[in-house]
Amino acid sequence: MTNQPDRDDAGRVDSFGERQADTLLRIAAERAFDQLDPSDPRNASFFAWYAREARERQTPAERRATKELARVFAARMVRRWQVEALGVREGDGEPRIQRAPVAATIRNAVELATPKAKAPCVDMAVAAGAGRALWDEECTEWVDVPADLPPGKHLALRVSGESMTPFLHDGDTVLVKIGTELKPGSVVVARRPDDGYVVKRVGQLRRRSVELVSLNPEYEPILLPRDPRLLLGTVVLRWCTHAAPG
Amino acid sequence: MEAPRLPQSDHDAVESWSAVDDAALIAGMRRGLEAAIVEFVDRYTPMLIGIARRRGLRGGNLITAVMDFLDSAAMRLAVEASRVPDPLPPWLVVSFRHRLRDDWRAERRRQARELLIATDIGRGTQRVVAESCSEYAIRLTEGTDGPDPTEGAATWQVLREALAIALDKGVSEGERQLLGYLADRMPQREIADILGITHGNARVRILRLRARLVQLARAHVNSLPVADGITLARFLERPPRRTVRDAEHARLPDHGPARAQSRQSARNPDDAGDRGSTHD
């Protein structure tokens, strides 16, 4: 569009300039917007155009307000998404880690800690060594289990790797409810026979296998046989020390 | 042509999301990426604000309506594994319009309920039921004015109250509200407007309510001892008498049933004087 005003044959500036035309266009668009049927596929391109126009026509102040609104909204929604889509709660601050009162294998530590509303804590990078079951690892730390969690046996794991970013980062701690329940969309800890333990989201459930997907698209989904012995449990809570981006 | 690289994480700038299409944006939201959600809100909020503004919303109400809708729509898109609506903008427009209409209706209902409480129309349930149920229910209100000499006044007064209680127990809160309006002789169009429904819909609700009250009355009559049941049934089956209120309405220079009735009475003068004193 040119910034030069239109002129008639006599060289006079046409009073019906671009700004007025824009106003008329907006009025016509709004009228059309209210009259057009959104469910008609022929009008789809109009509504896409209208959405773009509405965004571009914002004043700088409106644009700033929308950005701020979007930022606040997104931060709140991510927390809700974790609970509703993944079924994982956010832990308060950092996990309260303490030294285990007795040295025991994880198998025994779970039994000892559960009545005291605590869970053994273990580093996945250490525990996930190929060939060894997690249950035989020595456990030296316990964490407090929040009182408002449903009862059950829990195990805290310190995550290593970036396959579940942005939900889980290297060094985050997750609380796993020990069990063999598999729910699509939930986050589980499973044992890969060759690689040790992994934290993944449950994808498709098939009769003989289960698809485990990473939230980070750079990691390929993996298929595991549907064997309860390979499943450690479901992640119910995470402690994330990373600052929320944005 | 090489496909543009999609942003992979929140570490990618929010600006890079502005170039992606809706399907990729929702895929990002389904991975819980905050930057994708920011872009979604930034992309569609101005359009939704425009719709809300043209529906008459302003200020805080406008922002609340848009944010509430985005909250549910974005969560639905991000959580459900269903197919992504394609194209997305018309889907948002339709959903948001429905939401605004629902909100408007809920607000009108709330206002109507408050008005009902404030004016205390609902207090006298017997009066409400009697004045709105049907012609024979109108008879029920006449007890205090002039009990039927052929029946024991005390007996049918008790029966009348028991019937009113039975009817009241059988209606829902919404139906009671509707009865309040009918008791106020509010036109159907106004009722429809207050309830936020169409005129036809209001008419159907009133017809159903009448049918329901008749059904409740029948059930109540059947539940009474035989003698009382017969007395009440006879009372209900009698042709209606004209009340003082009807006579006042007939004199009013107004259109409607009362005037039609007065015209009818003028054509049949015998009938006009007879209705009030006819007994079985």
Side-chain angles (χ1 to χ4, degrees):
Chain A
M1 254 184 211
T2 170
N3 288 326
Q4 292 296 318
D6 294 335
R7 289 174 186 277
D8 62 9
D9 294 339
R12 289 173 300 198
V13 175
D14 189 350
S15 60
F16 192 74
E18 278 188 16
R19 198 164 54 82
Q20 284 84 353
D22 278 358
T23 307
L24 286 174
L25 180 68
R26 199 179 67 239
I27 292 166
E30 284 174 358
R31 185 169 170 74
F33 190 86
D34 286 337
Q35 288 180 345
L36 286 177
D37 177 12
S39 58
D40 188 340
R42 288 172 300 179
N43 297 331
S45 55
F46 170 79
F47 286 100
W49 169 83
Y50 187 86
R52 279 196 306 274
E53 281 290 297
R55 186 182 192 181
E56 285 170 13
R57 282 173 188 279
Q58 292 179 106
T59 62
E62 286 171 340
R63 206 181 293 269
R64 275 196 302 276
T66 308
K67 289 259 184 233
E68 178 59 21
L69 211 62
R71 201 183 58 76
V72 174
F73 178 89
R76 202 183 63 219
M77 189 180 150
V78 165
R79 285 195 292 276
R80 261 188 72 197
W81 178 82
Q82 282 171 17
V83 176
E84 292 189 23
L86 304 178
V88 180
R89 278 178 39 183
E90 187 77 40
D92 292 333
E94 292 187 21
R96 294 176 60 188
I97 298 174
Q98 55 219 261
R99 194 167 176 77
V102 287
T105 59
I106 292 175
R107 190 191 310 276
N108 294 332
V110 168
E111 299 298 334
L112 290 170
T114 301
K116 296 174 179 169
K118 298 189 189 303
C121 182
V122 63
D123 203 322
M124 260 182 97
V126 177
R132 288 193 71 185
L134 177 76
W135 301 110
D136 300 328
E137 293 290 336
E138 197 76 16
C139 167
T140 55
E141 290 176 335
W142 286 7
V143 295
D144 285 345
V145 176
D148 51 348
L149 275 184
K153 292 179 179 175
H154 295 94
L155 179 65
L157 287 174
R158 211 167 288 120
V159 177
S160 74
E162 297 288 338
S163 68
M164 288 295 277
T165 49
F167 172 60
L168 292 173
H169 306 87
D170 197 28
D172 287 351
T173 307
V174 292
L175 192 66
V176 181
K177 185 174 183 183
I178 297 167
T180 54
E181 190 191 4
L182 268 178
K183 234 168 66 179
S186 61
V187 180
V188 295
V189 178
R191 185 160 67 89
R192 294 182 76 179
D194 301 332
D195 295 349
Y197 288 86
V198 289
V199 184
K200 300 283 176 203
R201 190 179 187 195
V202 179
Q204 283 189 330
L205 284 173
R206 303 191 180 98
R207 217 173 67 167
R208 292 181 186 280
S209 65
V210 55
E211 184 194 37
L212 298 178
V213 293
S214 305
L215 287 178
N216 187 342
E218 289 170 7
Y219 290 76
E220 292 291 320
I222 56 174
L223 272 181
L224 278 187
R226 207 163 167 179
D227 182 353
R229 287 171 301 178
L230 296 180
L231 191 69
L232 181 71
T234 308
V235 175
V236 290
L237 189 135
R238 76 153 189 180
W239 286 282
C240 180
T241 51
H242 293 75
Chain B
M1 190 177 146
E2 194 182 343
R5 176 186 170 274
L6 294 182
Q8 299 298 321
S9 70
D10 272 334
H11 301 297
D12 285 324
V14 173
E15 282 70 29
S16 62
W17 282 96
S18 61
V20 305
D21 63 5
D22 288 332
L25 189 65
I26 292 168
M29 289 165 68
R30 285 182 178 177
R31 280 167 41 215
L33 295 179
E34 197 168 329
I37 300 167
V38 169
E39 168 61 18
F40 173 78
V41 176
D42 199 28
R43 189 177 287 188
Y44 291 113
T45 297
M47 177 181 78
L48 298 175
I49 285 177
I51 296 172
R53 196 171 281 148
R54 281 196 299 285
R55 287 285 191 277
L57 292 179
R58 295 286 181 271
N61 289 345
L62 186 147
I63 297 297
T64 305
V66 171
M67 285 296 109
D68 281 355
F69 170 73
L70 280 174
D71 215 28
S72 59
M75 191 52 72
R76 195 174 152 191
L77 290 169
V79 169
E80 285 182 10
S82 57
R83 196 173 57 84
V84 176
D86 184 29
L88 184 62
W91 180 82
L92 286 172
V93 171
V94 172
S95 305
F96 188 48
R97 281 180 182 167
H98 286 173
R99 168 65 74 92
L100 288 178
R101 197 162 56 204
D102 289 347
D103 287 352
W104 182 78
R105 283 177 177 169
E107 178 61 19
R108 295 301 292 265
R109 286 194 195 104
R110 192 188 60 75
Q111 285 174 1
R113 218 172 294 127
E114 281 180 0
L115 185 70
L116 188 70
I117 293 164
T119 53
D120 211 9
I121 292 169
R123 189 180 58 179
T125 308
Q126 290 184 16
R127 185 175 69 83
V128 169
V129 172
E131 290 189 2
S132 59
C133 174
S134 60
E135 294 148 351
Y136 51 73
I138 290 172
R139 296 291 306 272
L140 299 176
T141 57
E142 297 166 15
T144 48
D145 299 328
D148 194 325
T150 60
E151 293 162 6
T155 307
W156 83 265
Q157 179 76 16
V158 171
L159 290 175
R160 179 179 73 91
E161 279 174 10
L163 175 63
I165 290 166
L167 293 178
D168 185 46
K169 275 184 186 167
V171 296
S172 66
E173 196 58 45
E175 286 171 333
R176 200 168 287 128
Q177 181 189 358
L178 187 56
L179 284 171
Y181 298 136
L182 290 170
D184 235 13
R185 293 177 183 262
M186 196 180 278
Q188 287 182 0
R189 281 196 187 281
E190 261 185 64
I191 293 173
D193 197 35
I194 286 175
L195 296 179
I197 53 179
T198 63
H199 180 207
N201 208 337
R203 203 173 130 264
V204 169
R205 279 195 196 181
I206 292 165
L207 286 174
R208 282 185 186 154
L209 178 60
R210 282 175 182 276
R212 175 150 178 72
L213 290 174
V214 169
Q215 187 190 6
L216 287 169
R218 280 202 189 114
H220 179 68
V221 167
N222 290 337
S223 71
L224 290 174
V226 178
D228 288 346
I230 290 171
T231 307
L232 190 59
R234 276 177 57 208
F235 176 76
L236 293 174
E237 283 164 7
R238 282 183 315 193
R241 276 193 309 189
R242 280 185 66 196
T243 61
V244 176
R245 189 169 176 175
D246 284 336
E248 283 173 357
H249 272 264
R251 281 198 295 274
L252 290 172
D254 188 18
H255 298 287
R259 189 168 180 188
Q261 192 180 358
S262 70
R263 281 201 298 272
Q264 180 71 20
S265 303
R267 279 199 293 275
N268 304 313
D270 292 339
D271 187 36
D274 226 2
R275 291 178 76 106
S277 57
T278 303
H279 301 295
D280 288 335

